[in-house]
Amino acid sequence: MRRALRWLMAVCVVVATSTAALAADLRPLVQALGSGGYSGTEKALAQLSEAGDPAAVPVIEALQAGDLYVRKADGTVVVARKAGDAFTLTDPLTRAALGDAPAAAVEKIRINNSLRRAISASLGALTLMSPDTGVRRSAADAVFKSRDAQALETLNAAIAKEQDKSVRAAMEQARAAILLTGEAASKMSDAEIQSATDTLAARGDRDALVLLNMVAGSGASDVTKRSAAAAVSTLEQKLAFWAALQNLWYGLSLGSVLLLAAIGLAVTFGVMGVINMAHGEMVMIGAYTTFLVQEFFRAHAPGLFDLSILVALPAAFIVSGGVGIIIERSVIRWLYGRPLETLLATWGLSLALQQAVRSIFGPTNREVGAPSWMSGAFELGGLTITYGRLWIVIFAFAVFGALLVALKRTWFGLSIRAVTQNRPMANAMGIRTARVDALTFGLGSGIAGLAGVALSQIDNVSPNLGQGYIIDSFMVVVFGGVGNLWGTLVGALTLGSINKFLEPYAGAVLGKILVLIFIILFIQRRPRGLFALKGRAVEA
């Protein structure tokens, strides 16, 4: 036992001695950071980076954060953090406490934009050997962006030791960027130049393309220029392919939003023939219900905030559906068979609902937060996919599937389909069409409320939220076929994709105009849309 204690004490002594020795080696360089103005600080920073000692990382981080000061009494460089009216001082290398000092006793070491870039490059080089994989990856990316030739030696040593494939690839890309843009390019063989350009092309992003274009247009050798130009051509083709896929994803994402907004309208419009201009306000009510649910969770159960969106879904469906049933029973049922009056009445209702929300919640946008599992994004090849959009796409298809099952497998769904295809015959067979109309309007409004929950995660929650989707919803329903759910699905995804593919070339506004012209021409050829319903009443 005593022998083990002696060994432990010996190890502690060795470690302490080594730390003191390292601190002593770096001390003059740290002291130099506080003298000579910006140029002196930059020179001392370069020397710290060349030393390659990870012990310098906290010092440089303190300089970057604005916490590095000079103690006026003896010129010592210290880390100073404000504590009330005074500063708490610590040693930048050993982190030993040095007591407190008044603000007048210390002077901040200031940095400019040039120093900020140099600090980022130095931190990148010094953290290449970090035990943390994420830190090493960030360091490699920082070196790639800075292309600091002083980091090349450290980078080579880090590549030789690196075991993680992705981090090693990032380090090799940083090394290729330094070699192709520095003085070393003139000493490289043709094979080495080709290998470096291939490494950058394999990175496959815009940063690599910009760098290769810069090399191809620089004063480098002809071999380097040709190699870079060939890599640029390959990379441009690759980026064009991924850009097309990214646009396809954007189209799918927009299409899922249009599907959510239009699917409820397809049910009410198809069954009842009602042009409901207040449908967008049902979406708005769903979004504001989400806001109220989240406010309740923030006030009473902040630890369960991530569950608020799950509680908001049934709440929005019930509230919007209830409002829809009230509208149908009080206004719509008196106007069946009079489409113009129905359009005007629902338009007036939409204005009244907007003003009511303005009076209750105010005209400004309301904050609706995203749960942690809907925040952030991930990379899939060359695609960037946000979790929020991904969950909305999944949710849209889930709602579509659930509605399809309800219409095909339940008595209520059978009644809806019967009324849609032949209302007089359904009434003669004992189906209470008035009740079906009320429940159908409530179902469509409830689905619009679910759309409001989804839209609250990607759009501003304001009294005008629904107005941005009502026209698109009608276009989807008319294009797909009135009352046909599969037509609504195909119409939403088609129009969403066409919009996103037109936007880069024609702009958002002109793109929508072109889509509208396309739909007008299309319904001239197929007045009933892509998938027309069949039935005596429909055909009549």
Side-chain angles (χ1 to χ4, degrees), residues 65-422:
D67 293 333
L68 211 59
Y69 286 72
V70 175
R71 189 164 57 188
K72 294 180 180 179
D74 54 5
T76 302
V77 172
V78 296
V79 174
R81 292 185 172 88
K82 197 169 182 61
D85 295 331
F87 283 88
T88 299
L89 309 183
T90 56
D91 188 285
L93 289 171
T94 64
R95 303 182 187 178
L98 301 177
D100 295 339
V106 291
E107 183 180 356
K108 186 175 183 177
I109 300 176
R110 301 191 179 278
I111 58 176
N112 56 17
N113 289 335
S114 176
L115 269 171
R116 289 187 183 94
R117 289 191 292 269
I119 288 170
S120 297
S122 297
L123 285 175
L126 289 171
T127 51
L128 286 168
M129 298 293 190
S130 170
D132 187 284
T133 303
V135 173
R136 296 199 305 275
R137 178 59 187 263
S138 298
D141 289 339
V143 173
F144 177 86
K145 291 176 181 177
S146 67
R147 301 189 292 278
D148 186 3
Q150 295 177 353
L152 187 58
E153 186 176 345
T154 307
L155 191 59
N156 287 331
I159 292 172
K161 294 180 180 180
E162 186 57 58
Q163 299 296 320
D164 188 281
K165 290 183 179 179
S166 64
V167 177
R168 183 184 178 89
M171 290 180 176
E172 289 174 345
Q173 291 159 7
R175 180 177 179 274
I178 294 173
L179 291 176
L180 286 176
T181 57
E183 297 178 357
S186 60
K187 303 176 183 178
M188 295 169 64
S189 65
D190 292 353
E192 288 173 332
I193 292 172
Q194 186 62 51
S195 175
T197 53
D198 288 345
T199 299
L200 286 180
R203 183 181 175 97
D205 61 2
R206 293 287 173 187
D207 290 335
L209 181 62
V210 170
L211 184 58
L212 286 169
N213 271 318
M214 185 175 68
V215 172
S218 67
S221 65
D222 292 339
V223 174
T224 303
K225 287 182 178 180
R226 285 197 301 271
S227 181
V232 165
S233 177
T234 303
L235 189 52
E236 283 178 341
Q237 293 176 6
K238 183 178 180 181
L239 289 174
F241 169 75
W242 284 113
L245 286 184
Q246 188 74 59
N247 271 337
L248 187 62
W249 163 250
Y250 289 150
L252 178 62
S253 175
L254 176 60
S256 66
V257 172
L258 293 178
L259 176 63
L260 279 174
I263 195 170
L265 188 63
V267 173
T268 56
F269 194 21
V271 174
M272 305 161 65
V274 172
I275 303 174
N276 180 19
M277 295 301 293
H279 184 77
E281 278 55 54
M282 301 299 107
V283 175
M284 175 196 68
I285 289 172
Y288 274 97
T289 303
T290 307
F291 165 71
L292 291 175
V293 169
Q294 288 198 349
E295 287 297 295
F296 176 84
F297 272 84
R298 285 191 180 101
H300 298 93
L304 300 176
F305 182 79
D306 281 355
L307 301 177
S308 63
I309 199 77
L310 301 179
V311 177
L313 288 172
F317 182 84
I318 292 170
V319 173
S320 296
V323 172
I325 290 174
I326 293 171
I327 290 174
E328 196 280 336
R329 289 287 83 189
S330 60
V331 178
I332 302 296
R333 72 176 180 139
W334 308 106
L335 300 174
Y336 287 131
R338 297 154 64 184
L340 182 59
E341 287 87 340
T342 304
L343 187 149
L344 292 173
T346 53
W347 180 58
L349 280 171
S350 73
L351 296 178
L353 288 171
Q354 287 181 45
Q355 191 56 46
V357 168
R358 284 192 184 93
S359 300
I360 297 171
F361 297 99
T364 57
N365 297 339
R366 291 292 179 170
E367 179 188 359
V368 174
S372 59
W373 45 273
M374 288 185 70
S375 302
F378 65 94
E379 300 286 335
L380 183 63
L383 296 178
T384 301
I385 299 176
T386 60
Y387 286 109
R389 289 280 184 173
L390 178 62
W391 279 113
I392 289 174
V393 171
I394 294 171
F395 177 65
F397 281 97
V399 170
F400 176 82
L403 183 60
L404 206 61
V405 170
L407 292 178
K408 296 289 186 182
R409 302 294 181 184
T410 66
W411 173 255
F412 177 55
L414 181 61
S415 301
I416 290 177
R417 287 188 291 132
V419 173
T420 302
Q421 293 179 18
N422 197 323

